[in-house]
Amino acid sequence: MDVAGHRPAAKGRRSPSRWLAGLIGHGLCFRTARRYQRSGRGVAEQEQVYRQLMRWLSGAAFGAEQGLSPALGYEEFRTRIPLRTYEEFAPYLERMKHGEADVLHPGRCAHFAVSSGTTAGPSKWLPVNGPLLAHFRQAGLDSLSLYALRSGGRTVFQGRQLFLGGSTALQPLAGVAPPIMAGDLSGITSLHLPGWVERLLYEPGREIAQMADWPAKLDAIARRIHGQDIRMIAGIPSWLLVLARHLREHAKRVEGQAPATIQALFPRLECLVHGGVPIGPFAEELREVYGAGIAFHEVYPASEGFIAAQDADAGAGLRLLTGHGIFYEFLPLEDFTEGLLPAGRAVPLAGVRAGVDYVLLMTTPAGLVRYVIGDVVRFVSTTPPRLIYVGRTKLQLSAFGEHVIEKELTDAVAVVCGRHGLQPVNFHVAPQFPEAAVGRALGRHEWWLEARSTGSIRPPSPRQLADELDQALVLQNDDYAAKRQGGGLAAPEVHWVPPGCFEAGLRRIGQWGGQHKTPRCRSDRKFVETLRLPLS
């Protein structure tokens, strides 16, 4: 029996469980390959999903109020049904949280996914019903199959898969019977895993997955999986690095020395599944820590739905999952204004163009209709439909009309830090507004950057770093370039942040953990003031 409580297979012999998992994985890959080869642009699948949702949602109070019906054509839906933000759904969600049935979707909602978001604002309570759970199960299995297909093997199904997520513990809403359970989406989905997934693949097991104390949880994971046949690890890039540190420290305690890489600890580890934030600033260090041969597989999940997954090389974007019960629409970012959302300007998948930034809209079987999720995406191709995540509608720098998006900031940091042998740990950018009292006539961007040196190169001064980040943004963004070159925006200012400052601030506001992400930018100073980031 190994230290994790699992009996290893006899040397040179395939265990029955590994054989069974491999057989199931082969079947999943065959089915996924056929589906995605047939789907083409995914337009026909989306049209079918739309018709299914109109039949389903017309049976609830919200659908009746809006005039949803099986006969409602898309053009009428597009021009007549308004776009809505979370705040506009909140009154309906409150009714559902008190146990009322048939509000946004037919029946009673038994689960709510509590999403903290990334903007230092209040939590969102998002409904999760049976059809949405089915969506997550199928989309999750498809995402794994797409990796297996593009990697040319099925071995990822023949060992254990570690999912590094938030606490899976759920809490009942007070005063509601039968109980309605709420918590992290990973907790809801983990309770509804296919039996063979939980038995043959899933780590770290239910007990550890429910832990909320992150240092204790990571130590427990390291103890449990030591000596296991780990094939895949999934998590947010920054937390994958934290996990690696705990794994190496535990291995040193057990074996007397730390492994050179995590692949040395788990020789059959082949894949890191990542999502939530761009991997660019972390890619080099992840390969160094996990092993040069590690493969990356990107996914695009949200609490509202599993949106896309990688099916080709990283530069090709992520394949939109068009056939799993969610209907997508896309509002050109140039038409997006907070508080004024033009319904008729949104287009379905059939109307998108490559290279255009769109605000993502979703209609889900849980009853969110034309819901503005808050993400901005850009299609790399339309046949097949592949996109990239470029930022959040609220996480933009446009206090001075510069329209800088999160992806541009992340790319600039990755390029400039890589040039100087620096590994970004965390960063945030906020506007510094004109203030006559201190002689500041123009606004500027103010950066807070925490990074570690990966070599012996002397780190640049804040002024040099600011100049290089400025030039990187000028090359990427025409609006920013026009503001800088036209004298409407002063040169940026950079502050080095001492190690641990972001962590301390996030802990203080209760947003430290595997599913929490630092907002990279805002058009106000709310996040900076909340975290009380220091000035260097």
Side-chain angles (χ1 to χ4, degrees):
M1 195 75 72
D2 65 20
V3 295
H6 297 271
R7 188 178 301 280
K11 192 172 183 179
R13 184 184 305 166
R14 293 183 74 188
S15 70
S17 62
R18 184 180 298 173
W19 177 86
L20 178 59
L23 183 64
I24 294 172
H26 182 80
L28 286 172
C29 290
F30 177 75
R31 184 181 67 180
T32 301
R34 290 189 63 189
R35 180 189 303 125
Y36 285 89
Q37 286 168 359
R38 290 197 305 263
S39 67
R41 288 195 66 195
V43 171
E45 285 186 332
Q46 280 285 277
E47 291 173 348
Q48 181 180 3
V49 167
Y50 170 79
R51 291 191 294 269
Q52 291 169 343
L53 287 170
M54 290 304 100
R55 288 194 295 270
W56 169 248
L57 298 177
S58 62
F62 179 80
E65 290 175 11
Q66 298 300 310
L68 304 186
S69 75
L72 183 65
Y74 174 69
E75 279 305 311
E76 186 177 359
F77 174 86
R78 183 171 78 96
T79 56
R80 188 168 60 78
I81 307 300
L83 313 185
R84 285 179 169 85
T85 63
Y86 175 82
E87 290 73 21
E88 291 167 295
F89 280 106
Y92 299 93
L93 296 171
E94 285 300 314
R95 289 163 57 186
M96 295 167 70
K97 286 163 62 177
H98 285 87
E100 186 176 341
D102 302 323
V103 179
L104 288 179
H105 62 78
R108 190 172 179 273
C109 189
H111 297 92
F112 280 87
V114 183
S115 172
S116 62
T118 60
T119 59
S123 297
K124 294 181 179 180
W125 292 68
L126 298 163
V128 181
N129 61 352
L132 191 62
L133 281 169
H135 155 83
F136 278 113
R137 280 194 297 270
Q138 188 57 62
L141 290 173
D142 270 17
S143 72
L144 291 177
S145 300
L146 289 172
Y147 164 72
L149 287 167
R150 71 182 183 83
S151 66
R154 312 291 186 267
T155 53
V156 73
F157 289 102
Q158 295 174 7
R160 309 295 288 182
Q161 300 178 353
L162 173 64
F163 293 85
L164 187 65
S167 171
T168 62
L170 303 179
Q171 300 296 325
L173 298 184
V176 182
I180 294 176
M181 307 301 291
D184 194 276
L185 177 67
S186 62
I188 299 171
T189 54
S190 70
L191 293 176
H192 298 85
L193 290 172
W196 68 271
V197 171
E198 186 166 12
R199 185 170 70 256
L200 302 177
L201 302 177
Y202 178 70
E203 290 294 346
R206 287 197 180 192
E207 184 176 343
I208 294 176
Q210 289 179 354
M211 296 173 66
D213 183 328
W214 268 91
K217 182 175 188 173
L218 292 170
D219 286 339
I221 289 173
R223 291 194 300 272
R224 175 180 168 93
I225 69 173
H226 187 85
Q228 285 203 52
D229 181 13
I230 301 296
R231 302 293 180 99
M232 185 203 82
I233 300 176
I236 291 173
S238 57
W239 280 97
L240 291 173
L241 291 171
V242 176
L243 171 68
R245 185 173 70 245
H246 283 258
L247 293 175
R248 297 173 80 171
E249 289 172 353
H250 177 74
K252 184 175 183 179
R253 289 193 296 269
V254 172
E255 301 176 4
Q257 62 179 10
T261 65
I262 303 305
Q263 280 185 319
L265 185 61
F266 304 113
R268 289 173 172 152
L269 175 64
E270 60 178 280
C271 177
L272 295 181
V273 178
H274 64 92
V277 297
I279 198 172
F282 306 96
E284 184 176 342
E285 189 173 6
L286 284 168
R287 289 197 189 281
E288 181 180 335
V289 171
Y290 277 86
I294 202 75
F296 294 146
H297 184 63
E298 186 174 2
V299 295
Y300 182 2
S303 296
E304 294 86 351
F306 202 129
I307 297 163
Q310 187 176 348
D311 73 329
D313 292 340
L318 306 183
R319 183 73 170 262
L320 184 67
L321 303 181
T322 54
H324 297 318
I326 291 180
F327 182 68
Y328 298 100
E329 296 175 276
F330 306 89
L331 174 68
L333 183 59
E334 65 182 13
D335 294 328
F336 175 82
T337 303
E338 291 281 357
L340 182 63
L341 301 173
R345 297 291 294 168
V347 296
L349 180 60
V352 300
R353 293 183 292 118
V356 177
D357 287 351
Y358 292 102
V359 175
L360 180 63
L361 314 176
M362 301 170 67
T363 298
T364 80
L368 300 177
V369 177
R370 309 201 83 189
Y371 173 70
V372 182
I373 186 175
D375 286 358
V376 180
V377 299
R378 180 186 306 153
F379 279 86
V380 177
S381 70
T382 58
T383 307
R386 295 190 180 117
L387 51 77
I388 58 174
Y389 167 87
V390 297
R392 297 279 292 169
T393 55
K394 292 186 178 180
L395 297 190
Q396 294 187 61
L397 271 174
S398 198
F400 313 107
E402 66 273 38
H403 304 298
V404 175
I405 60 174
E406 183 180 356
K407 184 179 187 300
E408 292 165 343
L409 296 170
T410 303
D411 289 349
V413 166
V415 168
V416 172
C417 285
R419 187 182 297 154
H420 294 284
L422 295 171
Q423 174 60 50
V425 176
N426 244 322
F427 75 90
H428 181 77
V429 192
Q432 189 181 64
F433 295 101
E435 189 175 349
V438 296
R440 189 164 58 240
L442 293 175
R444 61 164 49 123
H445 290 172
E446 195 168 13
W447 293 67
W448 286 261
L449 174 63
E450 179 184 345
R452 68 173 69 94
S453 175
T454 59
S456 58
I457 304 174
R458 183 177 178 180
S461 67
R463 182 66 266 159
Q464 181 183 351
L465 202 62
D467 289 342
E468 294 186 26
L469 289 168
D470 183 38
Q471 288 305 307
L473 286 179
V474 164
L475 292 174
Q476 290 188 79
N477 187 298
D478 291 341
D479 286 335
Y480 180 83
K483 296 293 184 297
R484 286 285 294 118
Q485 294 162 2
L489 189 65
E493 184 175 2
V494 172
H495 307 290
W496 285 118
V497 175
C501 280
F502 276 96
E503 176 181 343
L506 290 167
R507 284 184 183 276
R508 190 170 58 250
I509 64 174
Q511 291 199 6
W512 180 252
Q515 294 301 300
H516 292 293
K517 304 178 284 289
T518 301
R520 299 309 188 193
C521 61
R522 286 182 64 102
S523 286
D524 57 33
R525 299 179 67 84
K526 182 176 180 180
F527 185 75
V528 171
E529 292 165 357
T530 301
L531 256 64
R532 301 197 288 273
L533 292 174
L535 299 179
S536 57

